[in-house]
Amino acid sequence: MRYRTIGTDPRTRREVSVLSLGAMLFGTATDEATSYAILDRYVEAGGTFVDTSNNYAFWLNGTQGGESEELLGRWRRSRDVEDEIVVATKLGARPLDPGTSYLDNAEGLSAKVIRESAQRSRDRLGMAKLDLLYAHIEDRTVPIEETVTAFAELVAEGTVGLLGVSNHRAWRVERARAIAAAAGLPGYEVLQYHHTYLERRVDLPSELDPDGDPGSVGGDLASYLRAEPALTLVAYSPLVKGSYTRADKPFGPEYDLPSAPGRLAALREVAGQTGATVNQVVLAWLLGGDVPAIPLVGAASVAQLNESLEAVDLELTAEQRARLDEAR
């Protein structure tokens, strides 16, 4: 395993593994025994960065979510896990009532919600301090200043370490960070967005924003990350739910771009040269990019996790990376 530092403040920054494990379906679609086996294997391999959210996975059981955090709490207690494992969670997109969703009934990002939801996450996870807490989705009904101040208060109190943001427009991320900086408060330092090797259309209306997809790395966000190298990009769904290798899970229309055939061909070519799988080449490409990402991988089995873990040691040559980058 390899490691990198996230965050800049010596008081809150953490060293984490360069591959993060997503626990979205743990405790629901992935049963407890399998979830524990995956977590144990991840830690055995040197993994130290686990990701969840307070609303995972509400859509499977018609609940408000919390099953993933609860399972992680049980696993942490059963394995006597302390702060050697960095746990990231999110708030803001938890449905307020069972049977609803973040599209029509989200808790939002008010000061009251941030304080109360963070406490509930700590209780479910069994953690006195959340290592990394994300604003999950935008809440345009609440002033950004209120959200920024509420998150900063939790950091000041010592109940949250690092702050992150996901599924926000780049301009709102920058505005929030500017407000925090002007007030001398901690701001977002970890950005979690969908990012993968295939190019994706971000202009298509999405469920979160009729102006397009705010949850994927597009030109604005990529440019912002290059200009702010102290920020960390965590790339969720890097393997697009198996679409690179499974005929029964085709890519959606958002990936139907003229560059797709050429980039898929380049992936297969490099995979053949290295002896790695296509999925491993995708992860290696993300790890070594000009804006290096921490891939956030899910796994429904230890075998799936092992494939992703092996990508950490895959070193692409300059020629192979150029082939991938230039494919169109």
Side-chain angles (χ1 to χ4, degrees):
M1 184 57 69
R2 293 186 283 123
Y3 302 88
R4 60 178 287 188
T5 299
I6 59 174
T8 57
D9 189 326
R11 295 169 295 182
T12 55
R13 68 190 181 197
R14 299 296 301 271
E15 184 179 69
V16 297
S17 53
V18 297
L19 191 76
S20 180
L21 176 64
M24 177 188 286
L25 301 182
F26 290 179
T28 50
T30 305
D31 64 45
E32 188 142 331
T34 304
S35 300
Y36 277 35
I38 293 168
L39 286 160
D40 290 346
R41 172 61 186 134
Y42 177 69
V43 172
E44 177 188 50
T48 63
F49 194 14
V50 178
D51 183 271
T52 186
S53 174
N54 72 347
N55 70 342
Y56 292 163
F58 76 88
W59 56 92
L60 293 177
N61 297 331
T63 66
Q64 293 170 271
E67 294 88 352
S68 173
E69 288 184 331
E70 289 168 355
L71 182 140
L72 287 173
R74 293 192 296 273
W75 173 77
R76 291 181 73 260
R77 288 189 293 274
S78 71
R79 303 302 192 258
D80 199 24
V81 170
E82 297 294 339
D83 63 358
E84 67 271 19
I85 304 299
V86 174
V87 178
T89 193
K90 313 174 192 73
L91 57 77
R94 180 178 169 91
L96 288 172
D97 300 291
T100 62
S101 84
Y102 56 79
L103 296 177
D104 59 3
N105 198 28
E107 63 182 354
L109 295 173
S110 69
K112 181 175 185 292
V113 164
I114 289 170
R115 177 166 294 278
E116 293 178 354
S117 287
Q119 178 62 59
R120 285 192 288 267
S121 286
R122 289 196 297 274
D123 292 343
R124 285 189 289 266
L125 289 163
M127 301 175 70
K129 179 179 182 177
L130 300 174
D131 301 311
L132 168 58
L133 181 62
Y134 290 98
H136 201 165
I137 60 174
E138 294 181 358
D139 180 359
R140 299 198 179 189
T141 70
V142 172
I144 295 177
E145 292 84 355
E146 178 179 340
T147 298
V148 166
T149 302
F151 274 121
E153 287 176 353
L154 298 183
V155 176
E157 293 167 7
T159 55
V160 171
L162 288 165
L163 299 176
V165 63
S166 182
N167 304 305
H168 281 56
R169 290 285 181 193
W171 70 265
R172 289 182 66 83
V173 176
E174 169 56 18
R175 184 167 296 179
R177 294 185 67 244
I179 290 169
L185 300 174
Y188 302 137
E189 294 191 88
V190 185
L191 279 58
Q192 186 178 132
Y193 286 77
H194 173 58
H195 191 38
T196 187
Y197 173 65
L198 274 195
E199 295 170 332
R200 174 185 171 109
R201 291 188 62 179
V202 296
D203 61 316
L204 298 174
S206 75
E207 60 181 13
L208 291 174
D209 191 333
D211 291 325
D213 177 13
S216 294
V217 175
D220 282 348
L221 192 66
S223 176
Y224 184 59
L225 288 163
R226 289 189 185 93
E228 299 287 346
L231 298 178
T232 300
L233 172 63
V234 174
Y236 73 76
S237 296
L239 303 179
V240 197
K241 301 179 180 179
S243 295
Y244 283 104
T245 57
R246 293 182 55 174
D248 62 324
K249 292 194 173 184
F251 290 102
E254 62 272 25
Y255 297 99
D256 187 12
L257 289 165
S259 61
R263 288 177 83 79
L264 288 171
L267 267 183
R268 292 189 291 267
E269 179 183 327
V270 173
Q273 292 171 353
T274 60
T277 67
V278 165
N279 284 339
Q280 289 167 345
V281 174
V282 171
L283 296 176
W285 180 82
L286 287 166
L287 285 164
D290 61 334
V291 178
I294 296 178
L296 171 57
V297 297
S301 67
V302 171
Q304 286 183 358
L305 175 62
N306 283 336
E307 180 185 14
S308 295
L309 288 168
E310 290 169 7
V312 173
D313 296 321
L314 176 59
E315 293 287 346
L316 301 175
T317 66
E319 292 77 14
Q320 289 166 342
R321 188 165 289 280
R323 172 74 177 97
L324 292 168
D325 290 344
E326 296 167 7
R328 291 292 184 273

